[in-house]
Amino acid sequence: MQDNKIEMFVVSDSIGETAELVAQAAKIQFNDSVGAIRKFSFVLDKEQMDEIVELAKERQCIIIYTLVMSEEKEYFKQIAEENNIIAIDLLGPIIKPLEELTGMKPKREAGLNRRLTSYYFDKIEAIEFAVKYDDGKDPRGFKKADVVLIGVSRTSKTPLSMYLANKNIKVANLPLVPEVKPAEEIFQISHKKIIGLTNSPEVLNNIRRERLKDMGVRSNSSYADLDRILKELEYADRIFEKIKCPVINVSHRAIEETANIIISIISQNNK
């Protein structure tokens, strides 16, 4: 017995991700009344279009298309109409008003959106970099990084590293502990790409107490001891002074606010 469900064809001169997402969003509104979504990618010539329309004629079908090249787009629209097939131009109603408002002609080049995904891959690379060089695990990353964050524990080094990585910035970070001599690499790179992070003793004390509670550790651990925290902060200040790096106090600052300050510093240093 033939399935009478409506099918959706997605036709694109590139991968077709945009049209497929729209088709999925529409389909989900109709429970099981709409059947399969079939995608046709890299449709660049009229012969391919003829084959798709012939296939659509054999079934109950709606076509969603993202074709940007004028001649091919008009041809596809025409043959769909001639064969009484519902075909929806997804980009046309957006491109035309933009053309009128900007006074510019669209490029009409297939796959431009796909080329832009290089930004996405750069972001993934930056995130992987932040994970690899988090917490001083490999000091070799300091020389490769766009920025290196240094500071005592609980000064938001890792959250800031991940936030900045999502902005395509490669970040390494190094915890400062009085008993552990910093890796020599931190003194071999330009102070302009190092940012010191500090916090108020009271805020650190509260944060660390909560951290110990979450870990099920007794709150009288030296990790949250105020005298110990003061000793760590004094040690960090000496390192900051030795490196001559800018220092940001993160107490009462949101991650986004601190990140924007870091980005501003990086931008100024790169001028």
Side-chain angles (χ1 to χ4, degrees):
M1 181 177 177
Q2 187 176 357
D3 190 347
N4 290 322
K5 287 183 180 180
I6 295 171
E7 292 185 46
M8 300 179 78
F9 283 8
V10 168
V11 179
S12 175
D13 46 25
S14 186
I15 294 176
E17 290 172 326
T18 302
E20 187 176 24
L21 284 171
V22 171
Q24 290 282 6
K27 175 184 173 181
I28 203 169
Q29 299 294 325
F30 296 91
N31 297 324
D32 296 326
S33 300
V34 179
I37 296 174
R38 183 167 178 181
K39 185 166 69 172
F40 300 85
S41 303
F42 303 107
V43 177
L44 300 170
D45 60 59
K46 295 175 181 178
E47 185 178 344
Q48 289 173 288
M49 296 176 186
D50 290 338
E51 292 173 359
I52 292 167
V53 168
E54 283 299 315
L55 190 61
K57 284 165 59 177
E58 299 172 4
R59 54 202 73 203
Q60 196 175 7
C61 178
I62 182 171
I63 299 176
I64 297 175
Y65 63 95
T66 51
L67 301 171
V68 295
M69 294 182 289
S70 296
E71 184 180 343
E72 287 75 9
K73 174 182 167 181
E74 288 304 315
Y75 178 79
F76 190 72
K77 178 182 177 183
Q78 179 186 331
I79 59 172
E81 288 176 353
E82 289 173 355
N83 288 278
N84 297 315
I85 296 168
I86 298 172
I88 300 168
D89 175 11
L90 202 60
L91 295 179
I94 303 171
I95 288 178
K96 187 169 179 60
L98 285 174
E99 182 179 352
E100 292 171 356
L101 287 169
T102 62
M104 296 175 62
K105 291 289 183 185
K107 294 179 179 179
R108 300 291 182 190
E109 295 178 36
L112 287 180
N113 190 52
R114 185 160 156 259
R115 292 178 213 172
L116 290 176
T117 58
S118 62
Y119 179 87
Y120 168 79
F121 291 113
D122 288 344
K123 181 189 293 187
I124 295 299
E125 184 181 351
I127 292 171
E128 290 176 345
F129 186 95
V131 172
K132 182 175 182 180
Y133 298 111
D134 182 46
D135 211 28
K137 285 183 285 197
D138 186 347
R140 292 174 298 180
F142 299 159
K143 294 181 180 180
K144 303 174 188 176
D146 298 316
V147 63
V148 181
L149 307 178
I150 62 175
V152 302
S153 175
R154 302 289 129 185
T155 48
S156 302
K157 295 185 298 300
T158 297
L160 280 166
S161 295
M162 298 309 296
Y163 184 92
L164 292 167
N166 275 278
K167 302 287 186 183
N168 288 17
I169 299 171
K170 291 182 178 178
V171 188
N173 71 71
L174 174 70
L176 298 178
V177 183
E179 293 79 14
V180 180
K181 185 180 178 182
E184 282 301 318
E185 286 86 347
I186 202 69
F187 303 106
Q188 296 169 357
I189 61 175
S190 171
H191 68 278
K192 289 186 176 182
K193 72 173 187 176
I194 302 174
I195 306 287
L197 301 174
T198 191
N199 209 329
S200 74
E202 296 77 18
V203 171
L204 270 180
N205 181 250
N206 289 332
I207 292 173
R208 292 188 179 186
R209 282 179 180 275
E210 289 300 316
R211 175 62 175 160
L212 290 174
K213 192 185 298 181
D214 292 342
M215 295 170 64
V217 178
R218 291 170 59 187
S219 60
N220 62 356
S221 165
S222 63
Y223 178 69
D225 180 74
L226 191 56
D227 288 338
R228 166 67 187 186
I229 290 171
L230 289 169
K231 180 181 177 183
E232 288 184 32
L233 290 172
E234 288 170 3
Y235 171 73
D237 285 340
R238 292 198 297 272
I239 298 295
F240 299 153
E241 179 61 29
K242 183 177 181 180
I243 293 174
K244 306 293 184 190
C245 64
V247 180
I248 303 170
N249 190 321
V250 301
S251 60
H252 310 300
R253 276 198 171 102
I255 293 294
E256 295 84 355
E257 184 183 355
T258 306
N260 286 335
I261 295 171
I262 292 169
I263 291 169
S264 177
I265 292 170
I266 295 170
S267 300
Q268 287 296 321
N269 287 340
N270 287 338
K271 283 184 178 180

